[in-house]
Amino acid sequence: MASIITPTGTFQAYRASLLHFSDDPAFATNACWWHEDGLLIVNDGKVHLAGDFSQLIAFLPQGTPLHDYRGKIIMPGFIDTHVHYPQTDMIASPAPGLLPWLEKYTFPTERKFADPEHAANVASFFLDELTRCGTTTAMVYCTVHPQSVDAFFTESEKRNLRMVAGKVLMDRNCPDFLQDTAESGARESEALIKKWHKRGRQLYAITPRFAPTSTEAQLELAGALAKAYPDTYLQTHVAENTDEVAWVKSLFPNARSYMDVYDHFGMMRPRSMYAHCIWLDDTDRARMGETQSAISICPTSNLFLGSGLFDFERADAKRVPLSLATDVGGGTSFSMLQTMNEAYKVARMGGTYLQAMRMFYLATLGGARAMQLEGTIGNFVPGAEADFIVLDPKATPLLARRTERTDSVEELLFAIAMLGDDRSISATYAAGKVVHQRQD
Ligand code: GUN
Ligand code: ZN
């Protein structure tokens, strides 16, 4: 045991209750790791060891700083697998459904990202807001402007965050000022892949907005790029709203379903992330499971825009990789705790029951798995990047009162998921460095 820790590098140690997952609690027993009095040992920005304080303390190299967070919970940073940074300034904009909301608020707001200074200003605020809410990785839509991607990755790189993002592709059914062409969109995306993909912690996502705003030629080129660069990501929206589904049917009359449009163009593959997935059928879900195409469940957005209720049971039946997401600005909160709260209610409305353990899994290792990043982020296996948060179970008077009266870890986590928000995040660390510290 003593040889596990060699006294080299820059060690830091953190004492608190520890929570992380090795598997999906819905399918595996012993998937949750809870150390009531735990110790997380970090070396050079990576997890060295995580476990019981009593077992690990004897092996800390002499002089290692020990941060005492007793009374709090240390867990992996949240992973938000679908969010639009340019929509930060239009969160909470009222509209009767997705399509009018896009027309009235989204497109005019995204127009402003032609200006790189504006893009940098919003990207900076957005990333500060994510880390304030305990999110350390996100899959992010920029706008159609390549400069919006440069601005985003520049700010992410400054904070050394692991982020995935891409330029929106949109060559029809949108205002002229946001329109690219199949050819220019592919060319600009490829240049951005070469510039940003795997530069430090940054990763690129090919980003056709959704089938209605891309011609067949554009989807064809997006699929070809996805094939040419198989370790990049691909993200889009699918089957969010019934009006949108009907529109896709009229635009692609030969497709078996909305999902089948993407399948036809070679866009279903590992590292593809599909937001919403409400109005799918079981053939679509089976195809997602087979191709390891992942779902971003966006409950605050789906309730806010009246899109529908995600069906957890049917997705689980086909073993589709699942993850949770805020979808700001359609979503109404940057907090993944608030997102869990709404996910729980969506599941209840569908007759399903989501355990707190499952929700915390979906917001951490579930996201990492959906992005094929298990072992890199999402839990505390040795060698994982040390992205973690310090959760405060007593962040508000009500939380303190409720969490003092819980009888199990499940009850404690459930209360935090229902009552918690940005105030519950005492500190956020990215690659072992503080990126947010709550002012008490
Ligand atoms: N579908 C196409 N674009 C968008 C968007 O920006 N937000 C949401 N929620 N759905 C979309
Ligand atoms: Zn979205």
Side-chain angles (χ1 to χ4, degrees):
M1 190 76 177
S3 65
I4 294 173
I5 298 177
T6 49
T8 59
T10 52
F11 283 91
Q12 300 278 334
Y14 303 86
R15 184 176 188 179
S17 296
L18 293 191
L19 169 73
H20 68 130
F21 296 86
S22 56
D23 209 337
D24 185 342
F27 297 104
T29 46
N30 305 322
C32 175
W33 291 82
W34 172 262
H35 303 276
E36 181 76 30
D37 183 12
L39 190 68
L40 174 67
I41 305 174
V42 172
N43 185 23
D44 283 340
K46 299 235 164 106
V47 172
H48 192 78
L49 284 173
D52 286 333
F53 178 84
S54 61
Q55 287 183 5
L56 297 187
I57 189 62
F59 304 106
L60 262 192
Q62 266 208 337
T64 300
L66 177 58
H67 306 265
D68 191 348
Y69 281 123
R70 270 177 290 178
K72 301 206 166 57
I73 300 165
I74 289 184
M75 60 172 287
F78 293 127
I79 299 175
D80 177 349
T81 61
H82 180 90
V83 60
H84 302 254
Y85 98 82
Q87 295 176 13
T88 301
D89 291 349
M90 52 162 283
I91 188 172
S93 291
L98 170 68
L99 301 177
W101 175 84
L102 285 174
E103 286 289 330
K104 183 162 179 202
Y105 294 103
T106 311
F107 293 152
T109 302
E110 294 194 4
R111 181 180 199 172
K112 298 184 190 143
F113 288 74
D115 172 7
E117 258 181 58
H118 177 74
N121 174 280
V122 178
S124 175
F125 179 89
F126 169 87
L127 288 168
D128 288 348
E129 190 63 16
L130 284 195
T131 52
R132 234 172 50 70
C133 289
T135 298
T136 48
T137 289
M139 250 181 111
V140 180
Y141 285 55
C142 303
T143 65
V144 76
H145 314 96
Q147 56 271 39
S148 73
V149 181
D150 287 331
F152 179 78
F153 279 135
T154 301
E155 290 299 321
S156 173
E157 200 169 49
K158 273 187 203 163
R159 293 160 176 80
N160 197 22
L161 295 168
R162 185 167 280 291
M163 288 284 155
V164 186
K167 176 202 125 65
V168 163
L169 297 166
M170 201 157 45
D171 70 344
R172 68 164 163 174
N173 293 325
C174 63
D176 293 350
F177 54 77
L178 285 181
Q179 203 162 310
D180 58 13
T181 66
E183 197 278 328
S184 72
R187 181 168 23 84
E188 289 169 351
S189 298
E190 186 167 34
L192 289 164
I193 290 169
K194 288 186 172 150
K195 183 168 179 185
W196 289 109
H197 187 56
K198 297 194 165 171
R199 172 163 143 181
R201 304 188 77 199
Q202 313 312 312
L203 296 165
Y204 193 82
I206 299 158
T207 310
R209 177 171 220 118
F210 66 158
T213 49
S214 286
T215 58
E216 297 206 356
Q218 181 157 72
L219 295 175
E220 184 98 46
L221 287 181
L225 265 184
K227 198 167 175 198
Y229 297 93
D231 63 359
T232 59
Y233 290 82
L234 191 147
Q235 57 183 351
T236 192
H237 299 88
V238 69
E240 176 177 5
N241 165 293
T242 49
D243 292 339
E244 171 211 17
V245 173
W247 192 16
V248 170
K249 199 168 174 50
S250 71
L251 292 169
F252 300 90
N254 297 327
R256 195 200 64 80
S257 66
Y258 189 168
M259 194 76 231
D260 185 50
V261 173
Y262 297 130
D263 202 5
H264 175 79
F265 292 107
M267 291 167 56
M268 298 187 76
R269 70 179 203 359
R271 282 175 294 281
S272 64
M273 185 65 73
Y274 288 90
H276 308 300
C277 296
I278 294 169
W279 306 101
L280 299 182
D281 61 23
D282 282 341
T283 308
D284 295 327
R285 294 185 184 96
R287 223 16 228 147
M288 296 195 83
E290 272 161 38
T291 57
Q292 287 298 288
S293 302
I295 295 181
S296 254
I297 306 165
C298 307
T300 74
S301 169
N302 297 159
L303 294 173
F304 177 69
L305 290 170
S307 303
L309 303 174
F310 180 77
D311 193 327
F312 287 85
E313 259 177 43
R314 284 183 179 273
D316 280 342
K318 303 295 182 201
R319 291 297 192 111
V320 187
L322 299 187
S323 62
L324 269 188
T326 63
D327 191 29
V328 166
T332 50
S333 172
F334 279 104
S335 167
M336 291 295 281
L337 295 172
Q338 285 291 290
T339 305
M340 290 181 204
N341 173 316
E342 301 286 76
Y344 177 78
K345 295 168 191 167
V346 165
R348 287 306 304 128
M349 289 304 291
T352 320
Y353 183 82
L354 269 186
Q355 288 199 329
M357 294 283 186
R358 178 116 205 256
M359 296 193 281
F360 277 83
Y361 161 82
L362 289 174
T364 56
L365 184 62
R369 282 185 169 179
M371 297 166 70
Q372 309 268 319
L373 286 176
E374 185 171 7
T376 302
I377 54 170
N379 66 11
F380 292 148
V381 291
E385 295 168 350
D387 291 349
F388 61 95
I389 58 178
V390 183
L391 262 186
D392 180 1
K394 297 185 169 33
T396 68
L398 182 61
L399 257 170
R401 205 173 162 88
R402 179 66 188 94
T403 57
E404 266 164 23
R405 290 164 172 77
T406 51
D407 289 335
S408 64
V409 176
E410 172 66 20
E411 266 188 37
L412 172 68
L413 296 179
F414 189 79
I416 294 172
M418 292 304 114
L419 303 174
D421 53 29
D422 54 325
R423 295 169 294 180
S424 312
I425 313 300
S426 279
T428 304
Y429 289 74
K433 298 260 164 59
V434 179
V435 286
H436 163 67
Q437 184 90 57
R438 192 183 69 195
Q439 301 305 312
D440 287 315

